[in-house]
Amino acid sequence: MQLEKIREAAERVARSEGLEVVDVEWKIGKQRFLRVYIDRVPGSGGESQSGDLSVGGENGNRAPSPYPKISHADCERVSKQLSVILDVEELVPGPGYILEVSSPGMDRALKKAADYVRFTGSAVKVWTEEPVDAMKFFEGRLAGVVDDRVPGSVLTDPGSKKIRLELKGKTPRIVEVPLALIRKAHLVVEF
């Protein structure tokens, strides 16, 4: 399976629609599934076509939503275009498969450093490969991304990016988790 080439094809299609690819999954069970999760690029506009009707002016005097809305039409356009590319470039070998294109949902996974920056202030759950402060699971509020690289030493000091989490509990505290150690992370839906 050429998952990286499939991701590249999906990203080309998504970019042409003003969208981004959040993740690509290949699952084999009773059927073969190729799942592509897409999202609206922050600040790309287009929310009105996906049903965001606000009261009180152009944007309703609200800050842009960190949860841009993906419409069924967005998924359909990406699915149709990507399906043609996958078939023409023969990127999925073997028997038939099901292509699913959808939004990542409100509890979306956080994959890239840019995701952590974009969703600063949001509630998150984070699992790590190795313990950080004697813990491998964290639930708290994302307080930003920290880069510990020494300024001016780009080539000699690769540094490491860390996410900063505000943890609640008996003893509220702030913990910094290296991005390289994060196994899985996703937003927590708040109502």
Side-chain angles (χ1 to χ4, degrees), residues 5-21 36 38-39 74-86 89 91 99 101:
K5 287 188 177 187
I6 291 170
R7 175 182 283 281
E8 289 170 9
E11 287 173 348
R12 285 194 318 262
V13 171
R15 261 193 314 274
S16 76
E17 294 291 333
L19 304 169
E20 68 177 342
V21 172
V36 178
I38 58 172
D39 205 352
D74 292 328
C75 295
E76 184 179 8
R77 283 192 310 275
V78 171
S79 178
K80 284 181 178 179
Q81 293 176 49
L82 182 57
S83 179
V84 169
I85 292 172
L86 294 174
E89 296 182 14
L91 295 176
L99 172 62
V101 177

Side-chain angles (χ1 to χ4, degrees), residues 35-94:
R35 291 192 178 105
V36 178
Y37 297 98
I38 58 172
D39 205 352
R40 190 163 304 284
V41 177
S44 70
E47 279 80 11
S48 62
Q49 66 180 329
S50 59
D52 182 20
L53 300 175
S54 53
V55 179
E58 192 67 32
N59 67 359
N61 298 323
R62 292 182 295 172
S65 172
Y67 305 106
K69 294 168 181 64
I70 291 294
S71 69
H72 184 268
D74 292 328
C75 295
E76 184 179 8
R77 283 192 310 275
V78 171
S79 178
K80 284 181 178 179
Q81 293 176 49
L82 182 57
S83 179
V84 169
I85 292 172
L86 294 174
D87 291 346
V88 168
E89 296 182 14
E90 298 178 353
L91 295 176
V92 182

